[in-house]
Amino acid sequence: MSKDRSNVTALLDDAPSYSRQTQGGIFIVIKGPDRGEAVRLTNSREPVSFGSGPQCSLVLTDKTVSRKHVEAQLVGDEVMMIDCGSTNGTFIQGSRFERISIGFGAEIKLGRTVIKFLPDEEIVDPEPSAQTAFGTIVGGDTKMRQMFTLLEEVGATTATVLIEGETGTGKELIAEEVHNHSPRRDGPFVVFDCGSVPRELIESMLFGHVKGSFTGAVTDRKGAFAEAHGGTIFLDEIGEMALDLQPSLLRVLDKRAVRKVGSNTYEKIDVRVVAATNRDLRAEVAKKAFREDLYYRLAVIRVSVPPLRERGTDIPLLIQHFVNNFGPGLTVTPEDMARLVRHSWPGNVRELRNVMERACLLARGNTINLEDALVSEAAPSLGIRTDLPFKEAKGQLVEMFEREYIEDLMRRHKMNLSAAAREAQIDRKHLRELIRKYGLDPRHKLGEGDEEPPSDD
């Protein structure tokens, strides 16, 4: 088997919209004289070997490595590392082993060489579905219909799914539809919000506890994983979980068994795991703020949900969908439709849904009452949403401020990046990132006759 010099640092690149891990993975040398060399373990069931002998899949020049030092092979769904009677031994986390099952992110030391095991991630580019809905999710945009095709396929499997997207894009709804389109549809669908549970109670609420295990534990309690037995557990806002609590979750995902707080025994569980986050977990891994091995364990199938501003053609479709739900028989005037399409919707589909529900409830006659719905949507002075959780309302207000500030700043400086950055007293790179973040196409923001893109001059 030849050495593989293909891109194995995808974790640092911009993430594709949809991806999945293939069976097997990639071994890359991260320390030693052969740093950068790599080899794939594929689902062909052919083992890969490491050593200084020419017969090895990955030939190492490290003189402290035996001729055939260690071998990796797929055994069922597990990747097994087997020491081949090496002179200096093979180690993981400082412990010598003869045979061990490894997961993604594992680092194997042989001689002076360290090899890391990473997933082999493939970009998924599904054909767009012919349907404009997947269960209760509505969308005619190409990215959405591609997602419907992927979710249909994923639903039939037991694969762990990671859903990434901004607040309000419908991540929980997607998780629920994955469950509803799976063989587990008759089992429970349990939602656990990692961001709303006090840190000291997370393990108890996730895994359960036994009576007397801590003050206030007056009875035994089942955790969310046990409650989801036979069904699906949805771990919302997984990026909010404290770093020191993540190993406990990783053990449950690996063992498919939970140990209650205060217990010495593990109980087997049969659950499908779907997780969601509004953070960029790849960036969090790079910052050491999220465990790399847990990320790989969750992102077997990775789905990125587009924000509403990237699927503007869906707004009329969604508006009609919400009118049908909240005010059957009501109509939307062309003026109101145009106003709704122009709105930036920082709160995404959730914000649009809330506005449409109010517009239907406050309707006068046979048309929606958009004027009163938008006035009641926000505190009139600052646009503060009081109908949302504090964290979401604050995030929306910050986004609204940034968007309007940057748009006006760049217009006044005729898109001159350096001049705008000097006035705002922010770094040019950060300003450029904000322009990109909010999709502020300079050619559409300048006055008539001004057509230059952002300039450093």
Side-chain angles (χ1 to χ4, degrees):
M1 186 175 295
S2 62
K3 295 175 183 178
D4 192 330
R5 292 181 178 273
S6 63
N7 177 19
V8 292
T9 56
L11 184 61
L12 303 179
D13 299 338
D14 288 338
S17 293
Y18 314 113
S19 63
R20 67 176 151 223
Q21 297 168 5
T22 60
Q23 194 171 28
I26 299 174
F27 289 92
I28 180 170
V29 179
I30 62 171
K31 185 177 180 181
D34 304 289
R35 183 175 178 179
E37 300 289 356
V39 66
R40 269 185 171 85
L41 176 66
T42 69
N43 59 5
S44 67
R45 301 289 161 178
E46 180 186 352
V48 295
S49 54
F50 309 84
S52 58
Q55 79 281 10
C56 291
S57 309
L58 185 56
V59 180
L60 301 169
T61 60
D62 183 351
K63 296 186 183 301
T64 61
V65 168
S66 297
R67 289 184 63 78
K68 186 178 181 182
H69 197 111
V70 66
E71 183 177 84
Q73 58 182 249
L74 274 171
V75 179
D77 292 330
E78 291 187 310
V79 176
M80 301 297 299
M81 295 295 294
I82 304 160
D83 184 87
C84 302
S86 65
T87 301
N88 292 320
T90 315
F91 299 81
I92 284 186
Q93 295 182 335
S95 298
R96 186 168 181 167
F97 68 87
E98 292 184 0
R99 182 184 180 94
I100 193 172
S101 171
I102 64 168
F104 296 130
E107 296 183 3
I108 303 98
K109 188 173 188 299
L110 48 158
R112 296 190 180 93
T113 295
V114 177
I115 297 171
K116 189 167 188 173
F117 184 52
L118 296 172
D120 193 1
E121 184 183 65
E122 66 176 8
I123 296 173
V124 181
D125 189 23
E127 284 293 319
S129 170
Q131 306 301 316
T132 57
F134 181 70
T136 55
I137 309 168
V138 174
D141 179 83
T142 301
K143 278 188 178 180
M144 292 298 291
R145 291 187 292 113
Q146 281 184 306
M147 186 175 73
F148 296 163
T149 300
L150 178 61
L151 295 178
E152 187 79 52
E153 296 173 1
V154 168
T157 73
T158 59
T160 303
V161 182
L162 176 64
I163 306 168
E164 298 180 334
E166 295 178 8
T167 297
T169 48
K171 297 186 290 294
E172 182 174 338
L173 199 59
I174 291 169
E176 193 165 3
E177 288 303 336
V178 168
H179 171 75
N180 291 339
H181 286 75
S182 77
R184 296 170 175 267
R185 65 179 65 89
D186 295 326
F189 177 75
V190 175
V191 178
F192 186 87
D193 189 341
C194 301
S196 65
V197 178
R199 184 182 177 286
E200 62 274 13
L201 294 179
I202 281 189
E203 287 188 289
S204 169
M205 295 185 71
L206 265 181
F207 314 133
H209 64 248
V210 297
K211 179 180 178 180
S213 56
F214 56 87
T215 303
V218 294
T219 60
D220 286 2
R221 173 181 176 145
K222 289 173 67 174
F225 271 96
E227 290 172 355
H229 184 76
T232 303
I233 186 168
F234 174 52
L235 301 174
D236 198 10
E237 299 306 344
I238 189 68
E240 306 300 319
M241 179 173 281
L243 196 59
D244 62 332
L245 295 175
Q246 293 174 21
S248 299
L249 176 59
L250 182 64
R251 279 193 295 273
V252 172
L253 298 181
D254 285 340
K255 290 177 177 290
R256 292 290 161 175
V258 295
R259 187 179 67 182
K260 291 181 176 180
V261 176
S263 173
N264 294 321
T265 59
Y266 280 90
E267 300 173 19
K268 282 289 183 183
I269 51 165
D270 173 24
V271 296
R272 188 203 191 138
V273 177
V274 180
T277 180
N278 60 13
R279 293 174 178 255
D280 181 349
L281 283 194
R282 296 157 79 98
E284 296 295 300
V285 168
K287 294 189 299 187
K288 308 292 186 185
F290 196 86
R291 284 185 65 109
E292 184 181 29
D293 46 5
L294 179 57
Y295 171 80
Y296 292 138
R297 194 66 184 79
L298 293 170
V300 177
I301 305 288
R302 209 187 118 274
V303 176
S304 179
V305 190
L308 191 53
R309 63 179 175 275
E310 292 181 7
R311 43 183 286 231
T313 54
D314 275 352
I315 293 178
L317 183 67
L318 288 163
I319 288 169
Q320 192 57 55
H321 172 71
F322 293 135
V323 169
N324 292 343
N325 284 347
F326 302 126
L330 293 177
T331 60
V332 183
T333 67
E335 294 77 18
D336 283 347
M337 182 65 78
R339 187 176 178 185
L340 288 165
V341 169
R342 285 196 307 268
H343 192 71
S344 60
W345 302 113
N348 291 296
V349 179
R350 180 187 297 159
E351 182 184 2
L352 175 59
R353 179 189 183 280
N354 290 344
V355 168
M356 293 308 301
E357 183 175 13
R358 283 193 294 272
C360 292
L361 290 173
L362 299 171
R364 300 181 185 129
N366 64 350
T367 59
I368 66 169
N369 183 356
L370 184 60
E371 195 64 41
D372 288 342
L374 286 174
V375 168
S376 62
E377 175 198 10
S381 58
L382 291 174
I384 299 171
R385 291 285 300 277
T386 57
D387 62 329
L388 293 177
F390 173 83
K391 182 179 175 182
E392 291 182 24
K394 179 181 176 183
Q396 285 194 18
L397 185 60
V398 170
E399 283 197 9
M400 190 185 309
F401 161 75
E402 288 182 343
R403 180 187 296 274
E404 294 188 8
Y405 182 96
I406 299 303
E407 188 172 322
D408 185 67
L409 176 74
M410 297 306 293
R411 183 187 296 112
R412 286 190 291 103
H413 286 281
K414 299 187 182 300
M415 308 314 294
N416 186 306
L417 197 70
S418 297
R422 279 195 299 271
E423 179 183 306
Q425 297 182 21
I426 58 177
D427 184 75
R428 282 188 309 174
K429 182 179 178 182
H430 181 48
L431 179 55
R432 195 182 290 277
E433 286 173 354
L434 288 170
I435 292 171
R436 188 180 299 116
K437 175 181 179 181
Y438 294 111
L440 300 178
D441 186 340
R443 290 164 296 185
H444 298 162
K445 303 301 178 185
L446 288 170
E448 188 175 351
D450 294 319
E451 299 180 352
E452 291 300 316
S455 166
D456 288 336
D457 298 330

